[in-house]
Amino acid sequence: MIATVALRSTAITSLTTTYLGESGRYASAALVYDTRWIALCGLLMLLSYATRNRWVWGCLQWLSGGVIALAVLDLYIFQTTWQRLSWDGVITFGGEWSAAVDLFVKNLHKPDVLACSALLGVALLLLLAEPVVLWRLPPLKSPRRVYVALGSPALLALAVAPTPWLESRALGTIKPLAVDVLTYQWAYSTPPAVDAATKAAFIERYAALHPAAQPQCPAGWSRQGHVVLVIMESLSSHHSLRVAGLHDWTPKIDEIFAPGWTFKNFYANGFRTDLGLAAILTGVEPVAGDATGSSIYLNAPGAKALPARLRHHGYSTHFISGSSLFFLDIDQWLPGIGFEHLHGPQPAPGETKQNYAFQVWPDQQTYDATLKIMQQTPAPGLFVVNTMSSHMPYQHQETLERGEQAAMAYADQAFADFYRQLERQGFFRQGGLLVLTGDHRSMTPISAEERDRYGASAPARVPLFVLAENLPPLSVSLITTPLQQADLPASLEYWAGSSACLQWRQRNIFALSVEQPQRCIVHMRGDNQRYLNIFCGERMVEVEMSAQGAQATTDQQQPPGLSEALDDLIARRLGMQLH
């Protein structure tokens, strides 16, 4: 167990040194957090010596060994995929043993993975040997109840003691990397149902709220050219020197969009891929505890979704995925919102809904497939391209160099090659529109510089790039207008079609000069889905979704737009919809 904790500290030191230029406080924080593992293991072993019953003793010893095995397995998963152990991960990826073994073999030559594998082998060997040892032991001696009485309270306190100073602020978008299964399950639980009294009171107000939130439907630009929307996995504001001024990891993308529009104040509505796709494609911010349940994108309003909007104006609609169409059930819910054609890697033999994660295309192959589809599709067409090469575990697809910067270098080059091919095909001369954004901020620690740059909104920051011929220049004040992923469906319809209807909480990126009242932007958090971060202008308000609906956790004066955002959240949790 001590060796496991030491290896974890080494791994975290390497990761935080790479991203943050410092490591001491993060490694020490993880070591303190890991005392829960050590204390739980020691507590089970100590309790086993409080009994003469051979079977009780054996079960407690076996459980102690199981804790060690779980800790080592968690460390191994972190070292190979940079992710945490979780029950849904076991269910999701557990069926694809061949791909998991292949990933294991590819990483086995690395000293840290080799050492962890040896530890895991020892832990599993001890678990298997436990029954044999149990049968061959001599009769148990008198239990040492004094030692148990003295040691158990201390170990129990270590195992369950709260560590508020180790919350997400210490490591940015990820909590300390040692997994406490109970903490994980609690943090990802959904909010409680809205109680009857809150529901009755809200329904009384709903009749007045609903007419006040009618959509606005201005005339559109009717460009009728191809629309290519690239959703690059984990593309973040901090990757782009042009956007955030921090890292220069996407220099080719920055250069490509220099003549176009670069929106520097753009927000992701969620923290993972499915939530980003839900917001970008449906125009509805995903929220846990919605009346539709956890898979809220399955029940998104199809008529207001991006592909349905553009089909209304004569567009054919295509979704090109770098991952299997089984990923996130996109083969189920995308046709329901208007996609006529889905393209992606063919499922591997025996592949099922529960083991889809390893069948992916490199970005270059995804873009090549897109170009081929576009050549066979008469204008106008919508092509939504969802890439995967910049997904964790970060690795350059050609050089196999590990690291986020290496993965983004490959994604940057692949996109640049795609752009050049579009130019050669006359995409822009024929009235095409190219849009690039990310599905969510990368799941990596937030540096001090990024937090200084963006404050509390750092976990929500992704870039938005737009390029087409004859785009009018935008002033600095418009380029920095707060925008969100859910603004894209109505905006792209406005560009392509004769008209577009915008909900009260949406903005049109092509008509930012039109003065509108302040609205608030909702970001679904990854550390605890009972809470949302809502950004209203320069202010961030934490909102709790509880049995009383949705309310701010602070008593400070509410900024403009917050009350409307809270009403909308309550309506959606009750299965209503404010237009």
Side-chain angles (χ1 to χ4, degrees), residues 72-81 100 103-104 113 116-117:
V72 179
L73 181 60
D74 172 42
L75 174 61
Y76 171 75
I77 289 173
F78 170 63
Q79 288 178 329
T80 53
T81 67
L103 181 65
F104 167 79
V113 177
C116 183
S117 302

Side-chain angles (χ1 to χ4, degrees), residues 72-206:
V72 179
L73 181 60
D74 172 42
L75 174 61
Y76 171 75
I77 289 173
F78 170 63
Q79 288 178 329
T80 53
T81 67
W82 293 12
Q83 298 183 71
R84 299 171 55 181
L85 173 65
S86 63
W87 291 121
D88 60 347
V90 172
I91 295 170
T92 299
F93 305 125
E96 199 165 359
W97 290 108
S98 60
V101 170
D102 181 59
L103 181 65
F104 167 79
V105 172
K106 286 180 179 177
N107 286 278
L108 191 57
H109 67 282
K110 298 167 184 172
D112 55 347
V113 177
L114 188 61
C116 183
S117 302
L119 275 177
L120 184 59
V122 171
L124 294 176
L125 183 63
L126 290 174
L127 283 178
L128 294 173
E130 192 78 43
V132 178
V133 174
L134 180 63
W135 280 105
R136 298 182 63 85
L137 276 177
L140 295 178
K141 297 180 179 180
S142 299
R144 308 281 183 166
R145 291 191 173 90
V146 175
Y147 298 151
V148 175
L150 293 176
S152 294
L155 289 172
L156 182 62
L158 281 175
V160 301
T163 52
W165 57 279
L166 290 177
E167 291 301 316
S168 57
R169 290 186 181 182
L171 284 175
T173 58
I174 53 177
K175 280 179 175 289
L177 299 167
V179 171
D180 180 321
V181 173
L182 294 178
T183 299
Y184 181 93
Q185 292 299 98
W186 170 79
Y188 282 79
S189 63
T190 55
V194 179
D195 62 33
T198 301
K199 181 177 181 179
F202 185 81
I203 289 175
E204 287 185 7
R205 294 195 298 118
Y206 182 72

